[in-house]
Amino acid sequence: MEAHMNLNRKNVEIIADELERQIEKGILKPGEKLESIEKLAERYRVGRSTIREALSRLKAKGMVEARQGGGTYVTHLRLSLPDYRFVVRGDNFQG
């Protein structure tokens, strides 16, 4: 039983990573509706719970959003900018 659970976990990671890659590369575009859970399960040859978990991981990252009765959509990605919070002191400036 535990081996099955580990395999399922690995499938979740593989599917979540693949969908994330497609979003980052623009294959799946912001505002685009993903295939249904059933279709994704057929495509990846896994159970629906595996797809739900993979989508849940993407939701946690803010990459997709579920709309009640309307499916799952790619969100508009927010670019993460570097954190430039630091202090520049005049006496350390060399220019």
Side-chain angles (χ1 to χ4, degrees):
M1 178 80 166
E2 184 156 335
H4 179 341
M5 289 175 66
N6 288 338
L7 179 61
N8 186 43
R9 183 171 302 246
K10 185 175 180 180
N11 286 340
V12 167
E13 291 169 9
I14 290 168
I15 294 164
D17 288 348
E18 172 62 17
L19 292 172
E20 183 173 345
R21 185 189 67 76
Q22 290 180 26
I23 292 168
E24 287 174 345
K25 290 193 177 265
I27 297 166
L28 294 172
K29 298 181 179 9
E32 186 173 339
K33 183 178 180 180
L34 299 182
E35 292 179 290
S36 69
I37 289 172
E38 292 77 14
K39 294 253 188 218
L40 288 169
E42 286 175 23
R43 173 190 295 218
Y44 289 104
R45 297 183 180 147
V46 296
R48 290 177 300 191
S49 62
T50 300
I51 297 298
R52 283 189 200 98
E53 178 62 29
L55 293 177
S56 185
R57 290 181 183 207
L58 295 178
K59 285 178 207 168
K61 291 182 174 186
M63 300 185 88
V64 298
E65 65 181 359
R67 298 182 187 165
Q68 185 65 32
T72 304
Y73 291 80
V74 177
T75 59
H76 295 278
L77 292 178
R78 295 165 201 82
L79 297 176
S80 345
L81 300 174
D83 187 357
Y84 289 114
R85 290 180 290 170
F86 59 88
V87 176
V88 176
R89 293 180 39 188
D91 58 340
N92 290 336
F93 180 75
Q94 297 177 10

